[in-house]
Amino acid sequence: LYRSLLRVARQFCDYNIREYSKRRTIDAFRDNKNLTDPSQLSAAFSDGKAQLEVAKRQALVYSLYAPKVKSIMDIKPS
């Protein structure tokens, strides 16, 4: 799940969204690393799977409507 979330994060074209999703993934796993109760573990896992599906969907939508210019430095003055 961790690797899948990080892979999906790499698919975002926008740097800020990509870094936000990576940071959110890392922080969520750090926060949940000490869980021992099986019900809390399953809840955290199902929440992670739901977040993975949302991230996949958003990465697809963002790729469909990505700006043609990736960087402001690529714009040529007219």
Side-chain angles (χ1 to χ4, degrees):
L1 182 63
Y2 182 75
R3 286 174 35 172
S4 297
L5 283 163
L6 290 178
R7 277 191 198 117
V8 170
R10 269 191 261 140
Q11 294 175 358
F12 287 105
C13 337
D14 187 85
Y15 172 80
N16 292 325
I17 297 170
R18 186 172 51 242
E19 291 301 312
Y20 171 76
S21 58
K22 281 176 24 182
R23 187 175 58 247
R24 185 170 175 188
T25 299
I26 293 167
D27 289 345
F29 273 82
R30 276 194 192 134
D31 291 344
N32 293 328
K33 75 177 181 180
N34 294 323
L35 292 180
T36 55
D37 183 31
S39 64
Q40 288 180 337
L41 281 171
S42 67
F45 184 74
S46 63
D47 183 48
K49 286 185 69 116
Q51 292 297 324
L52 177 62
E53 293 305 314
V54 168
K56 283 181 182 178
R57 202 166 44 242
Q58 285 303 112
L60 177 67
V61 169
Y62 283 160
S63 70
L64 292 174
Y65 299 105
K68 294 182 182 13
V69 177
K70 293 202 178 235
S71 172
I72 190 76
M73 301 304 288
D74 293 338
I75 298 176
K76 294 182 176 148
S78 49

